[in-house]
């Protein structure tokens, strides 16, 4: 079960900013098996710093993370004054229902939005394989 | 002075005539008695005395009528305009006046002028008093009070209104009430529909609304008010509509907290649910081939149960969102066939573990539809989930889609199971409604159909049910072809159209019929 996108060239790199250890473990397992190279960050602040290095093709961003909210991470990454333009696609992964105003922000700035309880790891891999990277 | 002088002359002339005639009568009387009839003695004395006596009776009587006439006309004129007079003297008829007509006409005009000045002063006094009164009462009223004119523009807002909206009250004056107050109503019984209805037919009307949500400009927050309106078509000051608002935000928030608590708790289920579904998938994929058929079947059932739990959690959270006015639809152009097949595929697992097959019959010539794919997914998933739950031993469910006679895309979900009793059919789309007969046998929260109806309504479609006990039920709903939606929202070239879910209809919203 290797993804085509991940095997033809160098493996795609995924940053998973997620504080729920069991979830990141499951995602890492599925993504690694599909040929991605996965790094996990449990902390928002550290996750942001790592994301800003622009080493990743895909960033999976949880919204409830320690120290700084996922929304703030998203806004910082998409703010030209704070982060130089990076090539990574940002996918919000959350189990939290969003207030309308926040949802509008997400729709404008993120490249995808997934409710974790509604997808299995395999469906996540399937979703990412359709991303244009 | 000229009128007065000529009046004196006329008066004098008439007096002279009267006195002359009187004296002439007496002289003539004496002459006739003494020289013509030649009466003597007691008879002459009687007749000579009688004539003056008669003139004493008649002449003053006749002359008074003439001499007093001007005074009488003046008296009439004054009484006519006197404010507290109840005696009706009639209006003076100046053309019947001969003595001093100019003077009296002039005097009467003066009287009328004076009277009108007095009236003006009085009226302006009343107005000042009225203004002072309204201002005093309205500004000390702690409740927001608004006065609207015929165009539904604000002509007065008291200080309390300004305080709630966070801006000076006089800034609101002149604005349309719908611009100033971002109001959402529980149903299509809105302020504008009420005013419109009242303008058509009644002179005065009263109305009350509960749970009107008023958004605060520039802030994400909103307050919940009860709203009372009084309409008076013929208000002399142009105050056509009066609105008073009662802030019930806290009371209503407490009601809502019950739902929020459920939503919050349910929320906590999502993380373990995510994990369960992840582990089940891993086990299914990696252990599946090694398992015996019975265990394989268990694995499937476990997966189906986890899926069902996930959709249950979604339902609860979506209802909470509707209650909180947070469910917003993004209508996009979608391929309906694909969407339906997608839902059926997802539900097949749940149907399969109960031995049920979902059969589809989707017309080929369907137009693209304008839907929020996530919300409409829930509708079809809920209807299918119900059909699976209530199939009771039967093993087929039909999903059919075609274009109905109104040009709408119509989709039906038909099962052959328990069916629904006619007496409860009208209530099954109500919130928390459950068929009590089935409550013990079949689980559920009674939210699925309520949610489905809310979502279909918000799409501009309709949902209905046909059912017979022990023969099964058919749920049918419509969605609009994208071209119709795009027509309704012709505001520009925005590819998507945003709508609020059922329950909160924006006043003067673009999409209301």
């Amino acid at each position: 079960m290797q993804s085509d996108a991940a095997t033809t060239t160098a493996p795609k790199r995924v940053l998973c900013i997620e504080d729920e250890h069991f979830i990141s473990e499951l995602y890492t397992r599925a993504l690694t098996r599909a040929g991605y190279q996965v790094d996990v960050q449990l902390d928002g602040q550290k996750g942001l710093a790592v994301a800003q290095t622009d080493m990743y093709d895909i960033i999976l961003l949880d919204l409830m993370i320690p120290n700084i909210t996922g929304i703030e991470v998203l806004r910082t990454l998409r703010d030209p004054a704070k982060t130089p333009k990076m090539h990574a696609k940002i996918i919000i992964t959350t189990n939290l229902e969003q207030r309308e105003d926040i949802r509008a922000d997400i729709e404008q700035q993120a490249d995808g939005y997934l409710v974790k309880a509604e997808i299995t790891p395999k469906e996540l891999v399937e979703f990412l394989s359709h991303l244009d990277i | 002075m000229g009128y007065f002088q000529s009046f004196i002359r006329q008066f004098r002339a008439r007096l002279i005539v009267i006195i002359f005639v009187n004296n002439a009568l007496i002289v003539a009387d004496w002459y006739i008695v003494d020289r013509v009839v030649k009466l003597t003695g007691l008879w002459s004395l009687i007749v000579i005395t009688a004539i003056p006596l008669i003139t004493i009776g008649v002449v003053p009587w006749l002359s008074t009528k003439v001499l007093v006439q001007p005074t009488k006309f003046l008296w009439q004129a004054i009484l006519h305009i006197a404010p507290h007079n109840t005696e009706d003297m009639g209006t003076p008829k100046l053309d019947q006046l001969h003595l001093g007509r100019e003077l009296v006409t002039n005097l009467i005009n003066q009287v009328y002028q004076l009277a009108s000045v007095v009236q003006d002063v009085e009226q302006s006094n009343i107005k000042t008093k009225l203004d002072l009164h309204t201002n005093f009462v309205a500004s000390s009223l702690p409740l927001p009070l608004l006065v609207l004119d015929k165009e539904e523009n604000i002509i007065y807002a008291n200080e309390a209104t300004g305080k709630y909206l966070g801006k000076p009250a006089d800034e609101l004056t002149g604005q349309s009430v719908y611009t100033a107050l971002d109001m959402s109503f529980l149903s299509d019984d809105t302020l504008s529909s009420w005013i419109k209805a009242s303008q058509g037919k009644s002179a005065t009307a009263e109305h009350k609304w509960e749970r009107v949500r008023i958004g605060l400009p520039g802030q994400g927050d909103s307050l919940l008010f009860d709203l009372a309106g009084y309409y008076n078509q013929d208000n002399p000051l142009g105050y056509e509509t009066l609105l008073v608002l009662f802030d019930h935000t806290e009371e209503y928030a407490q009601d809502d907290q019950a739902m929020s608590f459920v939503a919050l708790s349910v929320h906590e289920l999502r993380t373990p649910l995510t994990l369960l579904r992840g582990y089940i998938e891993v086990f299914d994929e990696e252990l599946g081939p090694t398992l015996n058929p019975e265990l394989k079947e268990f694995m499937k059932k476990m997966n189906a149960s986890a899926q069902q739990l996930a959709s249950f959690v979604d339902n609860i959270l979506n209802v909470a969102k509707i209650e909180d006015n947070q469910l917003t639809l993004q209508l996009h152009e979608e391929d309906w066939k694909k969407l339906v097949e997608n839902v059926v595929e997802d539900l097949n697992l749940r149907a399969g573990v109960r031995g049920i097959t979902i059969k589809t019959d989707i017309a080929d010539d369907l137009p693209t539809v304008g839907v929020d794919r996530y919300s409409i997914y829930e509708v079809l998933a809920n209807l299918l989930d119900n059909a699976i739950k209530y199939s009771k031993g039967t093993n087929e469910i039909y999903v059919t889609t075609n274009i109905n006679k109104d040009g709408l895309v119509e989709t039906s979900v038909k099962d052959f199971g328990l069916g629904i009793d006619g007496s409860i059919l009208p209530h099954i789309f109500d919130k928390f409604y459950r068929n009590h007969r089935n409550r013990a046998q079949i689980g559920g929260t009674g939210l699925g159909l309520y949610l489905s109806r809310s979502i279909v309504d918000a799409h501009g479609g309709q949902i209905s049910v046909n059912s017979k006990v022990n023969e099964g039920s058919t749920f049918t709903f419509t969605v609009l072809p994208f071209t119709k939606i795009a027509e309704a929202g012709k505001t520009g070239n925005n590819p998507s159209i945003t709508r609020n879910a059922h329950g909160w209809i924006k006043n003067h919203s673009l999409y209301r019929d």
Side-chain angles (χ1 to χ4, degrees), chain B residues 424 427-436 445-447:
Chain B
I424 59 163
H427 305 292
I428 58 166
F429 293 107
D430 295 350
K431 185 164 55 163
F432 299 130
Y433 190 84
R434 299 219 39 241
N435 180 352
H436 49 270
T445 52
L447 289 177

Side-chain angles (χ1 to χ4, degrees), chain B residues 214-228:
Chain B
I214 296 184
L216 300 177
Q219 306 160 44
D221 280 347
S222 57
L223 299 172
L224 286 167
F225 287 92
D226 281 358
L227 175 66

Side-chain angles (χ1 to χ4, degrees), chain B residues 122-156:
Chain B
E122 262 185 7
Q123 249 171 15
S124 77
N125 271 345
I126 290 172
K127 204 163 177 267
T128 327
K129 262 194 219 157
L130 207 64
D131 279 355
L132 280 174
H133 197 61
T134 44
N135 273 330
F136 170 72
V137 172
S139 59
S140 26
L141 188 71
L143 305 168
L145 171 91
L146 292 136
V147 182
L148 313 182
D149 65 11
K150 286 189 190 310
E151 274 73 47
E152 290 147 66
N153 292 326
I154 297 173
I155 41 183
Y156 176 81

Side-chain angles (χ1 to χ4, degrees), chain B residues 157-219:
Chain B
N158 70 351
E159 281 165 32
T161 312
K163 218 163 64 190
Y164 273 106
L165 295 179
K167 57 171 105 170
D170 44 1
E171 256 181 40
L172 299 168
T173 316
Q175 281 188 34
S176 157
V177 65
Y178 308 111
T179 319
L181 298 181
D182 175 22
M183 291 177 284
S184 303
F185 293 83
L186 275 173
S187 69
D188 53 8
D189 171 24
T190 64
L191 176 64
S192 69
S193 69
W194 172 70
I195 292 183
K196 213 161 279 159
S198 305
Q199 277 172 340
K201 55 175 202 295
S202 34
T204 63
E206 286 174 31
H207 200 63
K208 253 173 72 182
W209 296 264
E210 289 185 348
R211 273 180 177 263
V212 178
R213 187 179 289 274
I214 296 184
L216 300 177
Q219 306 160 44

